[in-house]
Amino acid sequence: MKYIVRALKYFVYITILMVLLLAVLVALGMVSSDVDVMFRNGWKSVWMILGMFFLIALVYPRVGYTRRAAHIPGSYAEIRDGVVRYMEDHGYRLEKEEGENLTFVSRSLLKRILRIWEDRISLEREFAGFSVEGLTRDVTQIVYGLEFKFRNPDGEA
């Protein structure tokens, strides 16, 4: 269900961005406001573009989100404060803590809006550390940063 919601959010997001871009171009007088003049095949082109946006929105959640293991030695009680501090230092705030599982969201409202509230990073406790889930680029940075921090406790991540 989460996948379908993300795909629909991205479809709406991409479509709104395109409409805003076209509105700016029309307002600046760079293109006609008539759809039949704006696009070579008129409304047929609009439907083709929407279909293309729909396909992109269906694929993006599959490649844009990931789950990776962060190998962090120690018991949960020993590493919890360090993990929370690391995430806070990198622009996240603790949203909820359920047992040994942590969920973080961005502190920046602008970042949350631009990511259509899909900025959640989940850390699920595993035997060797955490399983980190979220946006691929964020997860990659967080996993490498946490592993570095806990291998070099005195070094800055």
Side-chain angles (χ1 to χ4, degrees), residues 11 15 18 22 34-54:
F11 175 73
T15 303
M18 183 64 163
L22 291 174
D34 182 16
V35 173
D36 292 319
V37 176
M38 187 184 302
F39 298 109
R40 181 181 300 174
N41 295 322
W43 283 102
K44 184 177 179 184
S45 292
V46 171
W47 294 114
M48 289 170 55
I49 292 168
L50 287 174
M52 194 170 54
F53 287 170
F54 184 72

Side-chain angles (χ1 to χ4, degrees), residues 103-144:
T103 304
F104 296 88
V105 293
S106 178
R107 285 193 312 242
S108 166
L109 180 60
L110 179 62
K111 193 175 192 182
R112 297 203 74 198
I113 291 169
L114 292 176
R115 292 182 176 187
I116 52 177
W117 283 267
E118 291 291 341
D119 62 333
R120 184 167 283 108
I121 300 292
S122 301
L123 284 81
E124 292 181 14
R125 186 72 171 139
E126 292 182 341
F127 178 72
F130 287 98
S131 175
V132 183
E133 180 182 7
L135 279 167
T136 300
R137 103 180 127 214
D138 293 343
V139 167
T140 302
Q141 291 173 346
I142 289 166
V143 167
Y144 290 131

Side-chain angles (χ1 to χ4, degrees), residues 34-86:
D34 182 16
V35 173
D36 292 319
V37 176
M38 187 184 302
F39 298 109
R40 181 181 300 174
N41 295 322
W43 283 102
K44 184 177 179 184
S45 292
V46 171
W47 294 114
M48 289 170 55
I49 292 168
L50 287 174
M52 194 170 54
F53 287 170
F54 184 72
L55 290 175
I56 291 168
L58 280 177
V59 171
Y60 184 73
R62 175 77 60 207
V63 297
Y65 293 86
T66 192
R67 177 183 289 267
R68 290 200 178 149
H71 302 288
I72 303 171
S75 70
Y76 181 75
E78 295 170 343
I79 63 175
R80 183 215 178 266
D81 291 337
V83 170
V84 172
R85 188 171 34 258
Y86 175 85

Side-chain angles (χ1 to χ4, degrees), residues 21-34 37-39:
L21 176 66
L22 291 174
V24 168
L25 292 174
V26 168
L28 294 174
M30 299 177 86
V31 296
S32 171
S33 61
D34 182 16
V37 176
M38 187 184 302
F39 298 109

